[in-house]
């Protein structure tokens, strides 16, 4: 259908999810969706904006790392997962602190961010 509409179709080749998608760029929403697609469910639920364009992705195939390639990437994957976990903990702490401050009456909003 994309070819019929004259849209650009690009293959990324095999890559490991977690950062920028080769030939597309970086999108946190797309990164999360890549962990949810598979052979049985090749398309995510939505399209994703990247650098002013909208992207439709499709799962094509699952590759396998050889042992030497896995060993070279293992530390980077561990660091990435560690950073994700730290970000989650910090966000949960901020939300919890915010809720407690609001409940105690020590934090009040005079304007909503949406109104700025």
């Amino acid at each position: 259908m994309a070819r019929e509409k004259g849209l650009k179709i690009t293959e990324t080749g095999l890559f490991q999810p977690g950062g920028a998608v080769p030939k597309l760029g970086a999108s946190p929403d797309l990164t999360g969706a890549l962990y949810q697609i598979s052979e049985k469910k090749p398309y995510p639920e939505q399209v994703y904006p990247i650098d002013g364009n909208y992207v439709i992705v499709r799962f094509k195939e699952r590759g396998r790392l050889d042992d030497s390639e896995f060993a070279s990437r293992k530390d980077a994957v561990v660091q990435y997962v560690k950073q994700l976990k730290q970000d989650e903990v910090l966000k949960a702490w901020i939300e919890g602190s915010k809720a407690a401050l609001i409940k105690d009456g020590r934090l009040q909003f005079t304007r909503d961010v949406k109104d700025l």
Side-chain angles (χ1 to χ4, degrees), residues 67-114:
D67 290 339
S68 62
E69 192 173 350
F70 173 74
S72 69
R73 292 186 180 185
K74 181 180 177 182
D75 291 336
V77 171
V78 167
Q79 285 297 98
Y80 177 75
V81 171
K82 237 187 217 184
Q83 185 64 44
L84 280 177
K85 188 63 177 176
Q86 288 173 347
D87 291 348
E88 284 179 21
V89 168
L90 180 61
K91 187 176 180 179
W93 177 79
I94 289 171
E95 290 300 318
S97 296
K98 179 180 156 185
L101 289 170
I102 291 171
K103 183 178 178 183
D104 292 345
R106 298 186 317 180
L107 178 63
Q108 296 177 350
F109 293 100
T110 56
R111 291 179 70 187
D112 195 348
V113 174
K114 298 173 193 167

Side-chain angles (χ1 to χ4, degrees), residues 15 28 31-32 37 39 50 60 63 113:
F15 67 93
T31 299
I37 59 177
E39 292 93 349
I50 298 179
K60 185 174 180 182
V113 174

Side-chain angles (χ1 to χ4, degrees), residues 24-27 48-55:
L24 291 179
S27 166
Y48 296 93
I50 298 179
D51 298 330
N53 297 309
Y54 286 92
V55 177

Side-chain angles (χ1 to χ4, degrees), residues 36-44 57-60:
Q36 298 171 7
I37 59 177
S38 65
E39 292 93 349
K40 293 178 182 176
K41 184 182 174 197
Y43 293 97
V57 295
R58 178 178 63 94
F59 180 88
K60 185 174 180 182

